[in-house]
């Protein structure tokens, strides 16, 4: 059986990009290192064939220079609401509004900076037999409080490439384990609250997911993040846990309605 040359080229390009960015992010000297935990619960709700909504609840913890404990400080809590539109099988268009409570954690050089965020996003999927390659484009408007207690608007652009491959099946379904790898670059406008550099950060993710059912899944990943900053570059090594529920309340309502009433004992 002959291999499709287009598939081979895409695989080689994706692997090359991920390897080069990983080497770049871990080889830089004079960096401050932090270990972190990122957790998120996602609730998705299908409206019809074209539209869906999503709610994300997130939290982040970090070690400090004096403690290697990954849960030493709670650094952020977040709330994010999405609207998704499926233009066709290859294009998914989205928008969200979110609130981020960035806490005062001087041990890692972070000051209290509440933030409202609005974003427009597009994802293009390359559906292939046995794996999916996608590229995500996102533009964010961040309304953030700086150290002078005034708010600034920050424009940030994010570009991601992602590879997803089911391990024990050709498609994603209940009982399937899948591997994921992605890399994302962040570019931003120059402001006081986020620094003067145009390049904001690079984030590499490697991990796996599992579908308990068609509507419940979990992802566990390792993230390596390189952040150039005015007062010293940072390297973040983070463990990430994401739990996703699809149509949770709709499915619970169906189960309750279809339960057979039990007779009461007198």
């Amino acid at each position: 059986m002959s291999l499709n040359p287009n598939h081979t080229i895409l695989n080689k390009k994706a692997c090359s990009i991920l390897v080069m960015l990983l080497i770049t992010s871990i080889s830089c000297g004079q960096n401050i290192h932090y270990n972190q935990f990122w957790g998120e619960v996602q609730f998705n709700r299908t409206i019809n064939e074209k539209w869906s909504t999503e709610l994300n609840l997130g939290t982040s913890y970090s070690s400090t220079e004096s403690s290697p404990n990954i849960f030493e400080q709670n650094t952020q809590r977040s709330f994010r609401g999405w609207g998704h539109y499926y233009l066709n099988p290859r294009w998914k268009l989205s928008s969200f509004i979110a609130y981020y409570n960035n806490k005062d954690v001087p041990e890692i050089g972070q000051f209290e900076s509440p933030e409202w965020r609005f974003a427009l996003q597009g994802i293009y999927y390359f559906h292939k037999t046995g794996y999916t390659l996608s590229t995500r484009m996102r533009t964010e408007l961040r309304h953030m409080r700086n150290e002078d207690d005034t708010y600034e608007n920050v424009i940030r652009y994010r570009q991601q490439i992602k590879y997803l491959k089911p391990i024990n099946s050709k498609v994603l379904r209940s009982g399937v384990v899948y591997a994921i790898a992605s890399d994302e670059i962040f570019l931003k406008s120059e402001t006081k609250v986020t620094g003067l550099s145009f390049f904001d950060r690079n984030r590499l993710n490697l991990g796996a997911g599992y579908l308990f059912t068609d509507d419940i899944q979990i992802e566990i990943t390792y993230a390596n993040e390189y952040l150039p900053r005015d007062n010293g570059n940072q390297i973040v090594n983070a463990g990430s846990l994401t739990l996703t529920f699809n149509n949770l309340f709709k499915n619970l309502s169906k189960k309750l309605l279809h339960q057979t009433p039990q007779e009461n004992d007198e």
Side-chain angles (χ1 to χ4, degrees):
M1 181 176 65
S2 61
L3 296 174
N4 188 324
N6 291 329
H7 294 185
T8 304
I9 292 171
L10 283 172
N11 273 320
K12 287 182 177 179
K13 285 184 177 179
C15 291
S16 298
I17 292 171
L18 292 175
V19 170
M20 286 188 295
L21 289 170
L22 174 61
I23 293 173
T24 300
S25 62
I26 65 177
S27 62
C28 300
Q30 304 299 320
N31 295 315
I32 303 172
H33 292 256
Y34 296 111
N35 299 317
Q36 297 186 352
F37 170 80
W38 304 339
E40 187 170 80
V41 181
Q42 302 179 348
F43 300 93
N44 299 309
R45 175 73 161 85
T46 301
I47 299 176
N48 53 44
E49 292 183 356
K50 288 290 188 180
W51 290 93
S52 69
T53 59
E54 182 179 340
L55 173 65
N56 304 152
L57 303 175
T59 187
S60 298
Y61 291 84
S62 179
S63 66
T64 63
E65 291 187 19
S66 61
S67 173
N69 182 4
I70 193 173
F71 296 102
E72 180 67 21
Q73 290 283 349
N74 179 225
T75 60
Q76 185 188 80
R77 296 284 176 87
S78 63
F79 174 94
R80 182 167 56 184
W82 291 84
H84 301 292
Y85 176 70
Y86 302 87
L87 182 64
N88 55 48
R90 292 190 177 276
W91 276 104
K92 177 182 177 182
L93 306 178
S94 307
S95 180
F96 74 69
I97 185 169
Y99 176 75
Y100 291 81
N101 180 16
N102 301 304
K103 298 190 175 184
D104 185 31
V105 189
E107 293 90 343
I108 65 171
Q110 177 175 301
F111 58 89
E112 186 175 3
S113 178
E115 172 189 354
W116 285 96
R117 191 181 301 181
F118 173 76
L120 296 174
Q121 175 178 286
I123 302 179
Y124 185 81
Y125 296 93
F126 303 88
H127 296 290
K128 304 297 179 181
T129 303
Y131 72 94
T132 297
L133 187 66
S134 63
T135 180
R136 184 178 75 186
M137 298 145 281
R138 181 190 295 179
T139 300
E140 299 174 331
L141 172 61
R142 308 172 68 193
H143 188 61
M144 307 176 65
R145 194 173 76 188
N146 61 30
E147 292 180 279
D148 297 330
D149 289 335
T150 60
Y151 280 83
E152 293 184 277
N153 291 322
V154 183
I155 303 296
R156 187 166 70 176
Y157 177 75
R158 301 169 56 169
Q159 181 72 51
Q160 182 196 72
I161 183 170
K162 183 176 181 179
Y163 177 82
L164 187 152
K165 180 175 177 54
I167 302 300
N168 55 333
S169 174
K170 290 185 177 181
V171 296
L172 293 178
R173 55 179 175 78
S174 176
V176 171
V177 178
Y178 59 93
I180 49 178
S182 68
D183 196 87
E184 185 172 18
I185 59 171
F186 297 63
L187 307 174
K188 64 174 179 61
S189 58
E190 298 180 358
T191 58
K192 182 176 182 179
V193 67
T194 59
L196 301 179
S197 62
F198 175 67
F199 177 71
D200 183 43
R201 68 190 67 190
N202 181 83
R203 179 183 295 170
L204 173 73
N205 278 285
L206 300 171
Y210 176 73
L211 283 82
F212 296 101
T213 69
D214 291 337
D215 293 317
I216 302 176
Q217 69 187 77
I218 188 172
E219 285 188 2
I220 300 175
T221 63
Y222 159 75
N224 176 272
E225 196 170 64
Y226 170 66
L227 303 86
R229 292 295 181 262
D230 298 337
N231 57 352
N233 300 331
Q234 297 180 12
I235 295 289
V236 173
N237 296 295
S240 176
L241 175 66
T242 303
L243 188 60
T244 302
F245 298 93
N246 297 319
N247 300 308
L248 175 63
F249 299 107
K250 182 179 179 181
N251 292 335
L252 288 175
S253 298
K254 286 183 178 180
K255 287 184 178 181
L256 292 174
L257 290 174
H258 285 82
Q259 282 182 346
T260 303
Q262 296 182 352
E263 294 182 0
N264 294 325
D265 294 332
E266 296 184 356

